[in-house]
Amino acid sequence: MNQPLPSKRQETWRYSDLDALATVWPSGVVSETVDVPAGKTTSLTLLPTGDPVSVHDYRVTVGKGGRFEFHTLNTAATYGRIALDVTLHDGAHFELGGAQLGANKETLEIVTTVRHAEPNGTSNQVVRSVVAKQAVASCLAKVIVEKHAQKTDAEQSVKAMLLDRTATANSKPELEIHADDVKCAHGATVGELDKTQYFYLTSRGLPPADAKRLMLQAFIADAFVGVSDDAARETLEAAAITALEALT
């Protein structure tokens, strides 16, 4: 039975490149199920595949006291989508760090739904996007706190930087809270390079291209702070630096 192509009427596909998606749908979509046992930690790192169209879909369940860490660099040449649907049980934690870098006409997106199904769960989502020319980067991050999930602590930080006025960034952090004893926060910003910082660096003798590169590296580095494995962090940062060369 054929699976119908998503529609932009669906909120989670609102900013997608459906023409590009059609070239891999559904057989080319990478779908994975991750079950983290109680008290255990699972870490995944997703690097660019090199394919012009890359679509990954994860369904994750984290058992009591478990921890799931996911870090990614999204730089597909035409369309890159990373979607995560995460369910957290008692005392479980979800850590997301994602960076998206678009230099031309790419459409890049990270879409997450995090369900705090039981008490004492925590989640932290950090997404940083840098887009130039006609690239589009989107982040839709939804947190659902169920009625009995008291003592939930959920944070979202979604920031995007536009290097050209023709680039587009869409940020939509969302909270759906049904419990009353929770701590939830989210923030989203879209901006440009800080002119004051840029002037400071160049006035100290740093070449303009180097100043811009350093500022972008520092901006992207926020997404990888939560990587617990040093080797994985170094790999992500090196890949990000290489991708930034196309932007600067």
Side-chain angles (χ1 to χ4, degrees), residues 101-161:
L101 303 177
N104 293 295
K105 296 182 179 180
E106 304 93 321
T107 297
L108 308 171
E109 56 189 4
I110 293 176
V111 180
T112 66
T113 299
V114 180
R115 295 179 176 83
H116 287 265
E118 295 180 356
N120 307 306
T122 56
S123 61
N124 183 47
Q125 301 182 71
V126 178
V127 177
R128 297 289 182 266
S129 301
V130 179
V131 281
K133 297 182 181 177
Q134 293 175 300
V136 178
S138 302
C139 178
L140 285 70
K142 184 175 185 178
V143 170
I144 303 172
V145 181
E146 301 292 357
K147 182 177 180 180
H148 301 294
Q150 305 293 349
K151 304 297 183 181
T152 287
D153 188 344
E155 294 189 13
Q156 300 167 297
S157 175
V158 179
K159 296 182 181 181
M161 189 173 294

Side-chain angles (χ1 to χ4, degrees), residues 165 192-202 215:
R165 295 297 176 91
E192 301 175 339
L193 282 173
D194 188 301
K195 294 181 179 180
T196 301
Q197 293 181 10
Y198 180 76
F199 174 77
Y200 176 83
L201 291 174
T202 54
M215 292 176 67

Side-chain angles (χ1 to χ4, degrees), residues 200-220:
Y200 176 83
L201 291 174
T202 54
S203 67
R204 295 302 186 271
L206 200 64
D210 291 344
K212 182 178 180 180
R213 190 178 301 110
L214 283 175
M215 292 176 67
L216 292 176
Q217 287 178 13
F219 179 73
I220 290 297

Side-chain angles (χ1 to χ4, degrees), residues 11-13 56-62 68 70 81-88 94-96 110-117 123-125 127 139-146 154-156 172-176 178:
E11 182 62 26
T12 54
W13 296 92
H56 289 76
D57 189 356
Y58 296 87
R59 293 192 174 275
V60 183
T61 301
V62 187
F68 178 64
F70 185 89
R81 176 184 174 91
I82 300 164
L84 298 106
D85 190 309
V86 181
T87 298
L88 300 172
F94 171 55
E95 184 77 23
L96 167 68
I110 293 176
V111 180
T112 66
T113 299
V114 180
R115 295 179 176 83
H116 287 265
S123 61
N124 183 47
Q125 301 182 71
V127 177
C139 178
L140 285 70
K142 184 175 185 178
V143 170
I144 303 172
V145 181
E146 301 292 357
E155 294 189 13
Q156 300 167 297
K172 190 188 177 196
E174 183 178 357
L175 299 174
E176 182 180 317
H178 302 284

Side-chain angles (χ1 to χ4, degrees), residues 164-186:
D164 296 298
R165 295 297 176 91
T166 51
T168 302
N170 303 299
S171 299
K172 190 188 177 196
E174 183 178 357
L175 299 174
E176 182 180 317
I177 302 173
H178 302 284
D180 54 14
D181 186 7
V182 301
K183 179 182 178 183
C184 296
H186 64 190

